């Protein structure tokens, strides 16, 4: 069912074996392990098709996973846009090396969007200041903060603010259209 829906929006849903077999040999050593309970579903840009690819390692998708899927799609769409603007084949830093992974400029943008999204949706942020007041309670932000230096953290802050600004502008426009 996910594949049928995804095809309409250029999103590929695949199982782990398809994902792993399609990886270049150089990327296989950094791939999440098969059946990893920490990664029942994860995404990446498909560098061949230019689409978002979602790897599903569970037999059924429930409402909680659907909510997480929304975050994955937004995060990976940022990478797809980055790849379209760049003429260089992007090589994902090793996610197991948290410092280099969270310090990668492409990941800073994508994770900043994820944090902004979580602040608005999970932490019920009412406006930019309310969201920013809750940032230190956000688990993703806390995890990233452990691994990056101050300069990198400032880049995160800049992008988080910009994404929050965009989200609230979009919500205000939608609200004005409905009134």
């Amino acid at each position: 069912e996910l594949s049928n829906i995804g095809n309409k929006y250029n999103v590929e849903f695949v199982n782990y074996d398809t994902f792993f077999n399609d990886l270049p040999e150089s990327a296989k050593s950094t791939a999440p392990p098969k059946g990893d309970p920490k990664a029942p579903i994860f995404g990446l840009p498909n560098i061949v098709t230019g689409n978002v690819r979602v790897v599903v390692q569970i037999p059924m998708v429930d409402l909680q996973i659907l909510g997480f899927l929304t975050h994955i799609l937004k995060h990976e769409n940022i990478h797809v846009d980055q790849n379209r603007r760049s003429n260089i084949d992007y090589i994902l830093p090793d996610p197991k090396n948290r410092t280099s992974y969270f310090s990668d400029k492409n990941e800073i943008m994508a994770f900043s969007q994820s944090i902004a999204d979580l602040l608005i949706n999970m932490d019920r942020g009412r406006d930019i200041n309310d969201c920013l007041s809750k940032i230190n309670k956000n688990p993703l932000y806390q995890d990233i903060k452990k691994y990056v230096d101050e300069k990198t953290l400032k880049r995160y802050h800049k992008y988080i603010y910009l994404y929050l600004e965009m989200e609230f502008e979009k919500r205000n426009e939608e609200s004005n259209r409905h009134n």
Side-chain angles (χ1 to χ4, degrees), residues 103-161:
S103 298
D104 180 82
K105 66 179 181 170
N106 292 313
E107 293 301 333
I108 292 169
M109 289 181 71
F111 277 116
S112 293
Q113 192 287 322
S114 296
I115 292 168
D117 203 38
L118 290 168
L119 288 168
I120 292 170
N121 296 316
M122 293 186 73
D123 297 328
R124 308 265 186 244
R126 295 182 308 272
D127 57 37
I128 294 173
N129 289 332
D130 186 39
C131 288
L132 293 175
S133 73
K134 298 174 181 181
I135 197 167
N136 284 314
K137 295 177 185 167
N138 181 280
L140 177 57
Y141 177 79
Q142 285 301 318
D143 193 31
I144 290 168
K145 190 175 174 180
K146 284 188 257 180
Y147 293 100
V148 300
D149 60 27
E150 192 63 34
K151 181 180 176 185
T152 304
L153 195 59
K154 285 181 181 180
R155 289 186 79 192
Y156 272 98
H157 292 163
K158 171 185 151 188
Y159 284 112
I160 290 167
Y161 185 88

Side-chain angles (χ1 to χ4, degrees), residues 22-155:
D22 287 352
L23 283 177
E25 283 303 316
S26 61
K28 289 185 178 185
S29 65
T30 61
K34 185 174 183 175
D36 184 352
K38 293 180 184 174
I41 183 170
F42 61 92
L44 67 154
N46 182 331
I47 58 171
V48 174
T49 65
N51 295 333
V52 172
R53 177 174 262 195
V54 179
V55 181
V56 181
Q57 299 195 79
I58 51 178
M60 191 172 107
V61 175
D62 59 21
L63 287 176
Q64 182 179 2
I65 294 293
L66 276 178
F68 184 57
L69 179 58
T70 301
H71 297 294
I72 290 172
L73 293 173
K74 285 182 163 185
H75 181 104
E76 296 308 330
N77 268 320
I78 289 172
H79 289 314
V80 166
D81 288 343
Q82 290 167 336
N83 289 343
R84 283 186 186 135
R85 284 183 265 141
S86 171
N87 292 331
I88 302 166
D89 283 341
Y90 176 66
I91 298 174
L92 179 70
D94 183 354
K96 295 171 194 154
N97 180 338
R98 308 298 266 175
T99 299
S100 69
Y101 184 62
F102 287 140
S103 298
D104 180 82
K105 66 179 181 170
N106 292 313
E107 293 301 333
I108 292 169
M109 289 181 71
F111 277 116
S112 293
Q113 192 287 322
S114 296
I115 292 168
D117 203 38
L118 290 168
L119 288 168
I120 292 170
N121 296 316
M122 293 186 73
D123 297 328
R124 308 265 186 244
R126 295 182 308 272
D127 57 37
I128 294 173
N129 289 332
D130 186 39
C131 288
L132 293 175
S133 73
K134 298 174 181 181
I135 197 167
N136 284 314
K137 295 177 185 167
N138 181 280
L140 177 57
Y141 177 79
Q142 285 301 318
D143 193 31
I144 290 168
K145 190 175 174 180
K146 284 188 257 180
Y147 293 100
V148 300
D149 60 27
E150 192 63 34
K151 181 180 176 185
T152 304
L153 195 59
K154 285 181 181 180
R155 289 186 79 192

